[in-house]
């Protein structure tokens, strides 16, 4: 099992000063590694079709609507699952989570991996990751301690990877952006784009 994780939105809580109201974490799950490889090849083929250089990264909020639509249409035929956690930050009351972006990010990713109704086990997890080395090391240690127990191992392996070199992380970004966009009442295109991948959404959990 392969799991690719990315987010959309920001971890800030200054909602009156530009911070996003919604924060979305998306898991793109492949139960078959060959299917993941086939999907990656299709995404790379799409990049060539658009005439983009090899180092160009698919990013939802940097893409034109036509690119978003074509990207989702390209990956939709493949076999994968989507699990996501949608956080309306107005409902977060914890001072620690509101004031510490690293704590917020770590906690939300732990929650979406942990509460999967047993559908994520012994997975190879790849997360879009940046930040300083200390945070990266502490973050991975935190996830292992929180998610793996003696009789239940959610993660077999976990790595923070550069999205520029991993098109399946880019896929998670495009899907996360699509789902967050669907919660923007002023933008109707999010709902339209979401219908393309709707059949793949196994769980869309709204944090309460």
């Amino acid at each position: 099992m392969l799991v690719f994780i990315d987010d959309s939105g920001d971890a800030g809580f200054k909602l009156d000063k530009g911070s996003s109201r919604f924060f979305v974490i998306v898991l793109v799950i492949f139960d078959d590694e060959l299917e993941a490889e086939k999907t990656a090849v299709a995404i790379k083929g799409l990049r060539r079709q658009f005439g983009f250089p090899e180092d160009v990264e698919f990013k939802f909020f940097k893409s034109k609507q036509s690119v978003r639509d074509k990207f989702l249409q390209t990956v939709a035929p493949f076999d994968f699952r989507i699990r996501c956690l949608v956080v309306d930050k107005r409902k977060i009351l914890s001072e620690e989570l509101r004031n510490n972006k690293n704590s917020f990010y770590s906690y939300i990713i732990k929650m979406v991996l942990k509460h999967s109704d047993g559908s994520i086990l012994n997975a190879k997890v790849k997360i879009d990751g940046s930040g300083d080395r200390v945070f990266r090391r502490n973050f991975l240690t935190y996830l292992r301690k929180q998610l793996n127990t003696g009789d239940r191992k959610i993660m077999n392996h976990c790595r923070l990877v550069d999205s520029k070199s991993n098109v399946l992380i880019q896929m998670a970004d495009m899907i996360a952006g699509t789902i967050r966009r669907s919660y923007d009442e002023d933008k109707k295109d999010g709902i339209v784009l979401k219908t393309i991948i709707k059949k793949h959404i196994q769980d869309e959990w709204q944090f309460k």
Side-chain angles (χ1 to χ4, degrees):
M1 182 181 294
L2 299 176
V3 181
F4 298 87
I5 305 179
D6 206 349
D7 59 81
S8 181
D10 60 76
F13 279 83
K14 296 180 179 178
L15 302 183
D16 57 340
K17 296 183 179 179
S19 295
S20 63
R21 173 181 166 186
F22 291 99
F23 183 81
V24 175
I25 284 282
V26 157
L27 312 184
V28 174
I29 306 162
F30 290 92
D31 296 302
D32 184 328
E33 290 194 23
L34 180 57
E35 192 72 5
E37 291 176 11
K38 288 160 59 177
T39 308
V41 168
I43 295 171
K44 292 174 183 177
L46 178 64
R47 186 166 57 195
R48 289 192 294 271
Q49 184 180 328
F50 279 124
F52 296 159
E54 291 296 313
D55 60 348
V56 165
E57 183 178 0
F58 284 105
K59 298 283 286 184
F60 183 88
F61 283 99
K62 291 183 179 180
S63 298
K64 296 179 180 178
Q65 184 69 4
S66 58
V67 173
R68 296 168 178 170
D69 183 86
K70 185 64 175 177
F71 184 98
L72 296 176
Q73 296 284 0
T74 297
V75 301
F78 294 96
D79 187 12
F80 61 92
R81 299 180 281 131
I82 298 168
R83 299 187 67 85
C84 63
L85 174 55
V86 180
V87 181
D88 182 345
K89 288 186 287 189
R90 299 178 305 176
K91 298 180 180 180
I92 298 290
L93 303 179
S94 165
E95 289 300 317
E96 172 65 20
L97 298 184
R98 293 179 69 89
N99 293 314
N100 188 318
K101 292 182 180 181
N102 288 345
S103 292
F104 173 77
Y105 185 74
S106 301
Y107 176 76
I108 295 302
I109 287 187
K110 178 200 75 171
M111 293 294 284
V112 73
L113 282 167
K114 186 174 184 178
H115 298 284
S116 69
D117 294 324
S119 69
I120 301 175
L121 291 172
N122 205 34
K124 297 176 182 177
V125 179
K126 295 186 179 182
I127 305 173
D128 181 30
S130 57
D132 63 79
R133 187 176 300 174
V134 173
F135 167 66
R136 290 162 65 95
R137 184 173 62 248
N138 291 344
F139 171 63
L140 294 177
T141 300
Y142 167 81
L143 287 183
R144 291 188 188 100
K145 287 183 177 179
Q146 292 291 320
L147 298 174
N148 292 343
T149 61
D151 58 348
R152 187 167 183 261
K153 195 173 185 180
I154 291 175
M155 298 190 314
N156 177 48
H157 179 73
C158 184
R159 286 179 54 205
L160 295 174
V161 299
D162 184 350
S163 59
K164 287 184 179 180
S165 61
N166 192 305
V167 294
L168 296 178
I169 289 288
Q170 294 172 34
M171 176 180 169
D173 173 275
M174 295 292 280
I175 292 173
T178 296
I179 292 174
R180 185 165 79 89
R181 187 84 160 192
S182 72
Y183 283 84
D184 191 334
E185 296 176 353
D186 298 328
K187 303 287 193 321
K188 303 303 179 185
D189 58 317
I191 298 295
V192 176
L193 290 172
K194 191 175 174 181
T195 60
I196 300 173
I197 53 170
K198 186 175 181 180
K199 67 179 181 179
H200 294 283
I201 300 177
Q202 185 179 59
D203 184 50
E204 185 174 335
W205 172 24
Q206 295 184 36
F207 185 87
K208 296 181 181 179

